Amino acid sequence: MSRLTIWLILGTTLTFLIGPFLIVIFAGASAGETLTFPPQGLSLKWYAKVFTVESFRDSFALSMFLAIFGTLTALLIGIPAAYALNRYNLPGAEAIRTIVAAPIIVPGIIVGLALLRYFVVPLDVTITMALFVTHTALVLPYAVRVVSSSLNNLRADMEEAAVILGCTRFQAFVKVVLPNIRGGILAAFILGFVTSFNEVPASLFLSGPGVRTLPIDMLSYMEITFDPSVAALSALLAFMSVAIVFVAERLLGFSRYV
Amino acid sequence: MSNAYVSLTGLTLSYGQTVAVPELNLDIRKGELIALLGPSGCGKTTTMRAIAGLLAPTSGKIMIDGADVTRTPANKRGIGLVFQSYALFPHLSAFENVAFGLRLQKQPDAQVRAKTEAGMATVGLTGFETRKPSEMSGGQQQRLALARSLVMEPKVLLLDEPLSNLDARLRLEMRNELQRVQKDTGITMVFVTHDQSEALALADRVVLMKDGKIEQLGTPAELYAEPSTAFAANFMGFENIFRLEGADLVSDHGRLPFGTEAAVPLLAWRPGGVAVGKGPHVGRVIASSFAGDHREYVIDSPLGQIKADASIDLPEVLLGQQVAFDLPQATARHLAA
Amino acid sequence: MFLNRSEGFALALPAALFTFLVFLVPVGILLSAAFQAEPGVWSLQGYVDFFSESLNQSVFLRTLKLGILVAGTSAVIGYAAAFCIVNLPASSRGRIFGLVVLPLMISPVARTYAWIVILGRTGIVNDVIVGLGLSETPIRLLFTETAVFIGLLQLFLPLMIISLVSAMENIPRDVVPAARVLGASWFQVFFRVILPLTKEGLVIGGTLVFTGALTAYITPAILGGSKVLMLETLLYQKVNVSNDFVSASVIAMILIVMCFSANLVLKRIASVRS
């Protein structure tokens, strides 16, 4: 194939995948009152307005909380699980792996409904707690998978060497394993953060009055208002994700973990 | 044996239902360089890992320097182990790799520094302190791993296939290095290898293992010249092994007259021990290769394939040609089993 | 040293127990509700009722159709794009691959919202149509199956490309030139060399895209609305509008069965081809 054909195919594909974002960025920079493209004059007023909408601020805070603490919790229980599945020759390891991976396989909306009806309501769990538990469960499979693959690349004999040099098992883990899977843990955190922050279907039924994640808040805002602020917010969120991924890629070659 | 420094008594190791090493007995003297030699799966690595404390024996006893260490955890056993993969810590500098164990013992900083520097000097790595393992060559990594174990002043140093990851030139260099270090420090060393030439060149005594059992134990000279079993003979390069029935040599393919009877069931010849160009038997050359000072032939004979080395001074026998050969009594090794 | 099993179980237990209790148990109960049209009475009545409504039938068929179309289209585009990417010089390959992965990191709400700007009544496409005089008034592009199809394709195409790129990277070097030298046309190269060697990637990518499209909520909600319902949006309606939990459970069961059978069918197709 000629270079021209290659770039033509890639150009078209990438335009389809990324082009719409560029349009959203401009649509959000409109000076007009309604969503149009090309925008009626340029202004940053919608970008500014996003920060003044109270529900956006609340839901952003909730989404940040869920993404950060949900992912940290998932890592806290996921790292030991990944370590156990990798290093111990456990009977039933496959079953444990399947159980832990299950939340990605089941459609999100079903997870949300099931948790609402058979976890939240009977146990009288608060909305924030319900969302926290759900997001932790949804992020856990990624945490286990990414940390596992980085443990796979770390030879077990390194820990044996540490033990022979005098470490206890726990010391060997802290002094030898952790420093060498730092990149994987960071990648798992970013992947988990992004997954949780962008999650909609499972949070849909669990969100309640006044307690909504940011993407769900955007969805309901769109139903009522048709101004360019959602475009501006979408653009800002896209920037945020791109910045995180860019920094991660620079720091540790993030894409090899995904 | 009274002068045993390390002694394994009735050592049995198993993985689940499979017994990798049944009832092994071995005594190692202080300051000795001993090789555990055998093909993969013979139990040599398993035995070594048991001495290190990485594997718990099913039964049996491990004594080191008069103390029973069978149940002592690996981190308290005072053993050094140089891994086949070196198992260096990639996140630490060369210096910190060597200092790792000393720091764990909470030795004072100045002492850690002095010992680490001395250790790196012993293996010729002075000046490499700040390098990461990934920035070092295979040979340097090997020596770094050696230094990391040596600074701990272990009672016994175990080495797992220490030369297998090096190229031919480095292997020779490292072989001399290991012997020098052993002579300088007087440390007891046990190394595991599948390469008979390595074992013969380095070790004071060689333990040839098969199926978890000791097939033969002796000095390199003894093993080389007087292998006692067909397995040992084959491992030591006696590639032509035949049964003796009455006065005939017998294989699965056929038989040839040998002339005399002997009290042993098996006879073996090295390729160099087979006479080519003259003799009572005739075969056909089916492969031939030039090896510098000799030619290596494969001869198709009534006994099947025979490997024979012929002097370069003899005229070359072309592929497919008939050639006379002999399996002389003088070069035959008598084997009991 | 490392074979202390109870220690291993203790380390794995929190994660396994957590997922089991807060995830598997509730989902299990929900799915069992799909077989209890009346509480406590086990029957398939829920399914009979569900499929007897023509709206439900058409939503089911539309979901299946869109899933297949999106998976099929992304396979075609995906092969072309992946083949181009693996043939790029190493320097630009990473960057282009990064651009393909990038959209996955961006909120699906933002990604879908872009299409409102493009396909809306005052969007670019309608501007062009009206501007060129192709139509007097803007035409309805949003809330159509086409809009949902485009949105889903954009959402999930990267997954197919990623799967195919990693499959193609595992093709041994010089196999394609070797086939060319032996006289294969590009068409034959694709069907006899590339396709058989990448079918595992195709199965993975196909499963991801198909199940992704089946279970996407945001795209049909924003671009389809109540005019173009898919199973996910129908489920949401059953719960929030008609309070019909039995139907919701039935839809949940159908979705899960569809996802798992997609995986099985694709695996079967891949093994038959070899």
Side-chain angles (χ1 to χ4, degrees), chain B residues 32-34 146 156-157 159 178 181-182 187-191:
Chain B
E32 193 173 30
L33 209 179
I34 207 158
L146 186 60
V156 181
L157 181 62
L159 302 109
L178 279 176
V181 166
Q182 205 258 343
I187 195 172
T188 309
M189 282 194 194
V190 179
F191 78 102

Side-chain angles (χ1 to χ4, degrees), chain B residues 62-96:
Chain B
I62 302 171
M63 303 273 290
I64 296 177
D65 197 11
D68 185 345
V69 298
T70 316
R71 298 287 153 205
T72 310
N75 56 343
K76 303 228 160 41
R77 214 172 262 203
I79 296 256
L81 171 53
V82 176
F83 287 80
Q84 185 176 11
S85 68
Y86 315 146
L88 296 166
F89 306 131
H91 62 299
L92 298 178
S93 66
F95 183 91
E96 287 303 326

